[in-house]
Amino acid sequence: MSENQEQEIQKKRIAVIGANSFQNPLIQKARELGYETHVFAWQDGSVGERTADFFYPISIVERDQILEKCQELQPAAIASIGSDLAMLTVNYVADRLGLPGNSLACTRMSTNKYHMRCAFQRAGVPVPGFVRVEPETAMEEVKKQGLRLPVIVKPTDRSGSRGITRLESLEGLVEAVRFAAENSFEGRAIVEECIPGEEYSCECISSRGIHHCLTMTRKYTTGAPHFIETGHLQPCGLSPGQMERVKQAVFAGLTALEVTTGASHAEFMVDEAGEVRIIEIGARMGGDCIGSDLVPLSTGYDYVRMVLDTAQGREPDFTPIREPVKAAYIHFIFGEEDLKLLERFRLQAPEKLRFVSPIEPLDRGPVVDSSTRYGYFIATFDHVEEKEAFVGR
């Protein structure tokens, strides 16, 4: 093979970090666009092992091994969607290879809730009161900081509702902090004031430091104590004025985190007075099929392609690929009631079902975080009220 031929092939190579079902849309989109996909993940039978052109059984945390292979491959881009852990490796490898991506400083802030809140504070972005703690000193630090109850205890560096507890009093604080720390990669926890109100997220794409809001999402959860997501809905139902205030706060947060490139998922609360408080921002696409499935359905935008575009230093393409639906919804399976709801869709409105994932046996074990839910389905509606009639508010 000539040097020119090899260079042309390199221009069409994409390295993807992660191979599970939430990463598969990225692999499929890259292949659809004619790219040669090189996928890295721990080998556990995930779908991406089969859909990739080339699969490497290297854990996504083994960034130096992945870097070594990518130095050999010289891909045109490296990317991932929906995983904070994967983005640590994506931006590390991109930095070493001189590929477009967010800086290592941005990665450090956007994947650690404590560093993130410190960056928000410095930039004047509205956040709840918080303190980083360890089990041995948690009670003393929370009292010293004067945090108002109730509080949320979280790992500093995990997503997917892992290790989260809400406390109405300080009773059980040490146990909650220990639970969060056990779920943290760095073994630490953060305690923050619980903001009353509804929870939402804002889905964005950034290019060369310019941020674009694609849509906003309403979040449904199990509530206290662990707040595991039960579903997501687009559009979110906020007024145009509220959405404009959200955009201003989110864009300020993205800038504070030094996000310049790629997708982002900002979680925020809106209280009864209409005030916006940023909970956290991930410099990656939202998981739970929010970015890969709901955004294209509700906006017509090809969000996954935008990730590939910006990973190569190109401007994202905002040309709609489809006519948007009026409402797009994902519902997760927790138990028998959810299976009954799915059966109701199948019997009464099968045309509204867009996708049903494989459903695991309900006797597999309890749902303790997002990764242990039994499955999900995606539905679309002619209006939000129709969703509420089927599923509830």
Side-chain angles (χ1 to χ4, degrees):
M1 183 182 300
S2 71
E3 182 176 344
N4 286 341
Q5 287 175 318
E6 175 62 22
Q7 288 175 348
E8 285 303 311
I9 291 174
Q10 288 171 358
K11 290 179 183 178
K12 300 293 285 185
R13 285 175 181 159
I14 297 288
V16 177
I17 307 303
N20 64 19
S21 60
F22 289 144
Q23 297 292 339
N24 198 47
L26 179 64
I27 300 169
Q28 292 178 315
K29 177 60 64 175
R31 294 194 65 185
E32 175 189 317
L33 296 173
Y35 292 103
E36 185 181 88
T37 54
H38 295 258
V39 177
F40 298 82
W42 182 262
Q43 190 163 19
D44 61 2
S46 291
V47 62
E49 298 175 22
R50 301 183 295 277
T51 56
D53 292 301
F54 297 91
F55 174 73
Y56 307 91
I58 304 173
S59 169
I60 66 173
V61 302
E62 299 294 344
R63 59 185 191 176
D64 284 312
Q65 290 185 41
I66 293 174
L67 171 62
E68 183 178 357
K69 187 62 182 179
C70 286
Q71 286 172 328
E72 174 189 329
L73 294 170
Q74 289 296 306
I78 181 168
S80 186
I81 55 176
S83 169
D84 285 333
L85 188 59
M87 294 312 298
L88 291 167
T89 296
V90 167
N91 290 326
Y92 175 79
V93 173
D95 178 74
R96 295 299 189 274
L97 295 183
L99 295 171
N102 290 312
S103 69
L104 299 184
C106 169
T107 306
R108 178 172 177 267
M109 291 185 287
S110 63
T111 58
N112 186 290
K113 295 174 175 61
Y114 175 71
H115 297 308
M116 181 184 300
R117 280 157 180 71
C118 290
F120 289 160
Q121 271 193 337
R122 291 192 297 269
V125 176
V127 294
F130 67 94
V131 63
R132 185 174 60 181
V133 298
E134 297 181 16
E136 297 75 18
T137 59
M139 192 70 71
E140 176 185 347
E141 289 295 328
V142 169
K143 290 180 177 179
K144 180 181 176 181
Q145 195 70 16
L147 299 184
R148 296 189 302 271
L149 293 168
V151 294
I152 300 285
V153 184
K154 303 176 179 180
T156 53
D157 53 2
R158 291 301 296 269
S159 57
S161 302
R162 295 175 179 88
I164 295 178
T165 306
R166 172 181 165 131
L167 296 174
E168 300 295 330
S169 72
L170 294 186
E171 183 179 353
L173 176 66
V174 173
E175 291 78 7
V177 170
R178 187 171 289 116
F179 175 55
E182 288 171 352
N183 280 273
S184 165
F185 293 116
E186 66 173 7
R188 307 184 85 167
I190 187 171
V191 181
E192 64 184 29
E193 294 174 344
C194 182
I195 303 169
E198 301 292 339
E199 189 169 355
Y200 303 85
S201 65
C202 180
E203 324 311 329
C204 297
I205 191 78
S206 299
S207 176
R208 298 182 175 90
I210 304 299
H211 313 305
H212 307 272
C213 173
L214 303 181
T215 191
M216 297 182 195
T217 310
R218 171 79 181 272
K219 178 189 289 191
Y220 301 87
T221 77
T222 57
H226 300 309
F227 296 91
I228 305 169
E229 289 91 342
T230 61
H232 302 280
L233 174 68
Q234 295 172 2
C236 67
L238 293 175
S239 70
Q242 287 174 315
M243 293 177 68
E244 186 58 36
R245 289 194 294 274
V246 170
K247 282 174 57 177
Q248 291 177 7
V250 169
F251 287 4
L254 289 168
T255 299
L257 296 178
E258 301 178 19
V259 174
T260 62
T261 306
S264 60
H265 172 73
E267 297 180 350
F268 64 94
M269 302 287 289
V270 178
D271 64 21
E272 293 180 355
E275 294 297 318
V276 177
R277 294 288 185 91
I278 303 298
I279 305 302
E280 57 191 69
I281 297 178
R284 42 79 179 170
M285 186 181 288
D288 280 359
C289 302
I290 293 172
S292 58
D293 293 81
L294 297 191
V295 170
L297 284 170
S298 71
T299 69
Y301 295 139
D302 194 340
Y303 198 10
V304 176
R305 178 167 186 164
M306 290 180 181
V307 170
L308 291 169
D309 286 340
T310 55
Q312 296 172 81
R314 298 200 298 258
E315 289 297 315
D317 185 354
F318 292 95
T319 305
I321 58 171
R322 50 161 297 132
E323 184 71 24
V325 300
K326 299 298 183 182
Y329 176 70
I330 183 169
H331 188 94
F332 294 95
I333 306 299
F334 282 69
E336 290 290 348
E337 290 303 312
D338 301 307
L339 292 179
K340 290 177 182 177
L341 176 63
L342 175 58
E343 187 62 20
R344 182 183 170 202
F345 270 97
R346 284 174 165 154
L347 292 174
Q348 299 181 16
E351 73 282 358
K352 298 187 183 302
L353 284 175
R354 294 301 183 108
F355 181 79
V356 179
S357 77
I359 308 297
E360 297 186 33
L362 298 187
D363 60 1
R364 183 206 58 201
V367 177
V368 297
D369 57 37
S370 296
S371 68
T372 55
R373 295 170 298 196
Y374 299 108
Y376 63 90
F377 62 87
I378 296 172
T380 58
F381 301 91
D382 293 332
H383 45 78
V384 170
E385 291 74 19
E386 188 180 30
K387 174 265 171 189
E388 293 174 350
F390 258 85
V391 183
R393 295 181 65 86

